[in-house]
Amino acid sequence: MLDVRLIRSDIDSVRAGVARRGEDTSAVDRAAELDAEVRSLAAKRDSLRAEIRSLSNEVGSLFRDGRKDEAGSLQEQSKALGEEEKQLDERAGVLASELREVMLRIPNLPAAECPDGGGEADNVLLRTEHFDPDAYGDHQRVPHWEIGEELGLLDVARAVKLSGSMFVMYRGAGAALARALCQLAIDRNVDLYEEIRPPTLVRTDTMVATGHLPKFVDEAYHSERDDLWAIPTAEVPLTSLARDEILDSSELPKRFCAHTSCFRREAGSAGKDTRGLLRLHEFDKVELLALCEPADAPALHDEILARAEGLIADLGLSYRILDLCAGDIGASARRTFDIEVYSPGVDQWLEVSSVSWFGDYQARRANLRYRPGSGKGTEVLNTLNGSALAVPRVWAALVETNRRPDGSVAVPELLVPYMRGLESLTAPDR
RNA sequence: GGAGGGAUGGCAGAGCGGACGAUUGCGACGGUCUUGAAAACCGUUGAGGCUUCACGGUCUCCGGGGGUUCGAAUCCCCCUCCCUCCGCCA
């Protein structure tokens, strides 16, 4: 959520920012109107309340002095003011909640550095690494689900038996590989990022704090009986860690990393990517997240990107980095870099990480504040996050990229220690 | 799951219809004293909204939401969370 005061003080730049996304700016104007009305009503209401309070205090002192009989007219006056106050308060309340709804629909303003553009096609390709389209052999042009079945690493059919489509099951060395990836991702980041193992079921207000509710209700799994939601990403619990708290500037930036399962209903994508690991209802992910003062945000944004990129690079995958344009970044982001890995078997670029800077947009909603080192009062934090590693797509790209002509799959050197020394995935002996 | 007891400022803990945004203690900050420090003493010390160039004014917040009342931290209703005991359990 934006700061209403920004709309009050500089509505043009808010309009301009929303327009850069290609979105309608009428909500901004509506918010300005509602804000003015709410404030004028609230001012009237508050002065009525002040009068009521002072009358009541007088009544109180008359009672204490044993002059009860003199209090009657004051009581009546106060009661009459009370009626008026109640009406104003109701009206103000209605408008205030309308204002909040409008504010929640206004997206964040893209950063100045965020490239212009209306959609995916306008994203700026920053760099492509380690990629030569002609360098792939036929042995690599095999989709991971076939490799997985062949080598006994993946058992899609039985996962479907257990849970339905868009669920998978890793087996044997395939399961070890999935686990190894997560552990590697954690180990590489715990130098600065505190490892967190958060709950995967959270309350409604936790989902609301990051903006996953109410907008994406249909995307989330919900247990009605307990009113708990399965997290779609560790961003949800990690952001709420410091919710409603006031951090001291000396403890900033706060960096967290977490490995969790992530659950997504993928309601809008029925029929898309139904084979293999490209789109799943449940998957594992290691997430990096930072809370910081505004001035430190750009440096942290680079840091998280560098860490996510470094892992992909060290795994030996081909990848590219996109600077998403204003029309393609998420509603709460100010700037986002996507990392996409190339997966030769399916011949696709797969998004494996979105590294985003949210400014204070999320933090305002989640009420994350800090006390600046100098000066008084509190300020709203900035938030950033990105996946260090999302298992299924990286798993898929690895298996496809590392397939040898004999059908076996080479384990990247980095992962060998996490695989009990296993260097190669081969067909089970029969 | 059953039965009880709680939720108040950074923490501890009073207040149980009027003068309470809240006694007090601890902590933190500033000062006096001291060569310096400790101790002692004095003072300051929650968050947020609106308004003001500013000084200031004013409102909201005692777990959350509703209600009673001229007036609610205090009374009533609902919800959430925490604790203790019993049962069950990885």
Side-chain angles (χ1 to χ4, degrees):
Chain A
M1 186 164 52
L2 292 176
D3 189 346
V4 217
R5 284 172 290 196
L6 187 59
I7 291 179
R8 249 178 248 161
S9 65
D10 190 4
I11 191 165
D12 289 334
S13 71
V14 176
R15 279 201 204 102
V18 173
R20 282 191 71 200
R21 291 175 172 272
E23 288 194 27
D24 180 32
T25 60
S26 62
V28 179
D29 298 304
R30 180 71 186 133
E33 258 172 57
L34 284 167
D35 175 53
E37 266 187 89
V38 168
R39 272 186 301 151
S40 100
L41 284 173
K44 282 184 203 145
R45 179 201 59 199
D46 286 355
S47 66
L48 277 178
R49 279 185 185 165
E51 255 182 276
I52 291 167
R53 276 173 69 143
S54 92
L55 285 172
S56 294
N57 283 338
E58 281 183 59
V59 172
S61 76
L62 287 176
F63 269 63
R64 252 172 283 119
D65 296 349
R67 299 191 285 160
K68 279 189 192 172
D69 38 317
E70 298 171 41
S73 80
L74 290 178
Q75 282 176 306
E76 267 169 47
Q77 266 184 60
S78 177
K79 189 168 189 167
L81 291 176
E83 301 288 317
E84 219 179 309
E85 185 268 350
K86 198 174 172 186
Q87 290 189 353
L88 278 173
D89 189 46
E90 262 168 39
R91 183 90 203 292
V94 169
L95 292 179
S97 62
E98 199 182 325
L99 172 61
R100 191 181 153 77
E101 270 167 46
V102 172
M103 287 302 295
L104 287 177
R105 278 206 308 271
I106 298 175
N108 202 355
L109 308 178
E113 306 77 32
C114 180
D116 285 321
E120 218 175 307
D122 299 315
N123 291 338
V124 174
L125 178 62
L126 292 184
R127 53 185 177 273
T128 302
E129 303 286 346
H130 202 254
F131 177 62
D132 175 0
D134 302 322
Y136 295 95
D138 287 345
H139 59 280
Q140 290 170 296
R141 297 297 187 181
V142 178
H144 59 273
W145 53 86
E146 285 179 21
I147 305 171
E149 212 68 40
E150 206 173 277
L151 302 184
L153 308 174
L154 216 50
D155 189 343
V156 178
R158 288 197 182 78
V160 169
K161 174 172 75 178
L162 306 190
S163 305
S165 70
M166 293 175 98
F167 285 91
V168 297
M169 177 155 43
Y170 303 95
R171 300 189 71 146
L177 178 60
R179 184 165 48 83
L181 283 168
C182 292
Q183 195 161 343
L184 172 66
I186 292 275
D187 284 354
R188 282 171 66 105
N189 289 295
V190 289
D191 57 327
L192 281 178
Y193 289 72
E194 183 192 355
E195 182 176 356
I196 305 285
R197 183 78 207 200
T200 32
L201 296 179
V202 299
R203 302 151 152 285
T204 300
D205 49 351
T206 303
M207 289 285 279
V208 169
T210 36
H212 290 87
L213 286 178
K215 199 170 171 187
F216 300 110
V217 220
D218 294 337
E219 263 306 298
Y221 285 99
H222 180 225
S223 160
E224 209 150 296
R225 192 163 164 164
D226 303 292
D227 195 17
L228 288 170
W229 302 80
I231 58 170
T233 160
E235 172 191 340
V236 171
L238 290 183
T239 303
S240 277
L241 260 183
R243 194 168 83 218
D244 300 321
E245 294 187 19
I246 300 171
L247 304 178
D248 197 86
S249 68
S250 63
E251 51 184 329
L252 295 172
K254 281 262 189 214
R255 296 174 171 96
F256 300 117
C257 103
H259 165 208
T260 67
S261 295
C262 301
F263 300 89
R264 301 183 179 180
R265 291 187 65 237
E266 297 294 346
S269 36
K272 244 190 276 175
D273 307 322
T274 46
R275 298 210 68 177
L277 299 172
L278 302 188
R279 190 175 297 277
L280 299 170
H281 286 312
E282 175 181 350
F283 63 97
D284 276 34
K285 185 159 70 65
V286 174
E287 183 79 0
L288 298 178
L289 182 139
L291 311 174
C292 68
E293 301 190 28
D296 298 334
L300 275 159
H301 200 187
D302 291 343
E303 177 185 302
I304 295 174
L305 177 63
R307 281 173 177 253
E309 176 181 356
L311 177 50
I312 295 299
D314 291 351
L315 285 172
L317 296 171
S318 307
Y319 66 92
R320 64 185 187 184
I321 295 185
L322 303 171
D323 190 352
L324 300 197
C325 73
D328 201 37
I329 54 175
S332 32
R334 298 208 63 201
R335 197 177 190 200
T336 297
F337 300 111
D338 269 8
I339 302 178
E340 298 184 339
V341 301
Y342 180 73
S343 212
V346 293
D347 189 26
Q348 281 183 50
W349 290 96
L350 306 175
E351 180 193 324
V352 294
S353 182
S354 254
V355 183
S356 298
W357 169 42
F358 301 99
D360 59 10
Y361 191 91
Q362 267 191 340
R364 180 165 296 107
R365 187 171 180 138
N367 197 22
L368 308 175
R369 291 175 294 169
Y370 71 100
R371 227 179 280 284
S374 60
K376 300 215 163 194
T378 58
E379 304 279 339
V380 180
L381 284 163
N382 272 22
T383 59
L384 306 107
N385 67 50
S387 312
L389 185 128
V391 169
R393 292 178 182 174
V394 171
W395 194 101
L398 266 182
V399 166
E400 292 175 9
T401 304
N402 289 6
R403 186 161 187 266
R404 301 191 186 97
D406 68 359
S408 68
V409 171
V411 174
E413 210 176 314
L414 265 185
L415 287 173
V416 171
Y418 291 95
M419 299 280 291
R420 298 177 220 98
L422 190 66
E423 293 175 351
S424 183
L425 310 179
T426 53
D429 303 327
R430 275 180 232 219

